[in-house]
Amino acid sequence: MTSLRRRLATDTRYALLGLPVAVLHFAVAVAGIAAGVGGAVAFVGLPILAGAAAMARGLSDVERVALPEVLGRSVARPSYTAVPAGAGWFRRLMNPLASGQSWLDLLYGIIAFPFSLAAAVVTMVWWAGTIAGLMFPVYGWILARLPGTDGSLAALLGLGDGDLAFVGVNTAVGVLFALTLMPVVRAAALVKASLAQAMLTRASYAPAGVIGLTSG
């Protein structure tokens, strides 16, 4: 039971806390690519694009750190092109663009945003349905006496419009949310994590829970 609670907490945290990171990653990728490509002719956009790639790399590292706990296995950081010895300031400035993984980091920021949003929304809806439904016997009797409850779910199902039917049906909905909470949240987290694994990591055979972060 403890391991199940830990799994639910991990998946919930990953889905919810991953949304702000995804929003920032999306903004960096879209703004950086737009400004970089738009100003590339005058060479002003290239440093902007390189800066966006560097920021996307850092945000991708945040995602990579969170993945092992969700996936239950280690992941490894892809190698990035190192700055050549004796390189000038411009080469150093442009170095983030020399790695193919840097472009994947930018692309991930765009592609992953709708998946992160969906995972967070689904997680919030299921948690809200679970808590509100299981607590319904506490406050449902008050709601049942408010005007406008004649068209409740219980009445629509043909179970009557009494207080007991109103509270019972809504509580049953909460129980349904509770019973499906873990698999639904798990699925939401895994969809997002699988995309991140495919685009941001490489194969790793280290022990589970260890993330390989190679410099580059």
Side-chain angles (χ1 to χ4, degrees):
M1 185 62 69
T2 302
S3 61
L4 293 178
R5 287 199 300 266
R6 186 181 299 113
R7 166 54 55 200
L8 180 59
T10 297
D11 292 339
T12 300
R13 182 173 60 250
Y14 176 73
L16 296 183
L17 297 184
L19 181 58
V21 177
V23 171
L24 180 58
H25 203 157
F26 178 80
V28 167
V30 172
I33 292 175
V37 173
V41 176
F43 295 99
V44 178
L46 292 179
I48 296 176
L49 189 57
M55 292 181 64
R57 181 184 303 185
L59 292 168
S60 297
D61 281 337
V62 173
E63 184 73 26
R64 282 185 277 257
V65 168
L67 283 178
E69 194 174 15
V70 177
L71 297 173
R73 57 182 178 274
S74 63
V75 299
R77 186 178 191 256
S79 59
Y80 291 86
T81 302
V83 179
W89 67 269
F90 186 76
R91 176 63 181 84
R92 291 178 178 275
L93 182 65
M94 293 293 102
N95 188 68
L97 300 180
S99 299
Q101 183 60 45
S102 294
W103 295 97
L104 279 178
D105 293 344
L106 287 169
L107 184 61
Y108 175 79
I110 298 174
I111 294 177
F113 175 70
F115 290 91
S116 299
L117 179 60
V121 169
V122 167
T123 299
M124 287 187 288
V125 167
W126 248 258
W127 268 110
T130 297
I131 295 172
L134 295 182
M135 293 295 294
F136 205 82
V138 177
Y139 63 88
W141 306 100
I142 300 174
L143 297 180
R145 289 170 170 77
L146 294 177
T149 58
D150 293 341
S152 64
L153 180 60
L156 292 175
L157 293 175
L159 299 176
D161 55 1
D163 294 354
L164 182 60
F166 176 75
V167 173
V169 168
N170 284 280
T171 301
V173 171
V175 171
L176 181 61
F177 271 105
L179 292 175
T180 57
L181 177 63
M182 183 168 292
V184 168
V185 173
R186 180 62 176 158
L190 280 180
V191 169
K192 179 176 180 292
S194 298
L195 178 63
Q197 182 185 28
M199 297 187 68
L200 302 181
T201 71
R202 60 179 174 81
S204 174
Y205 301 98
V210 177
I211 179 170
L213 294 178
T214 57
S215 61

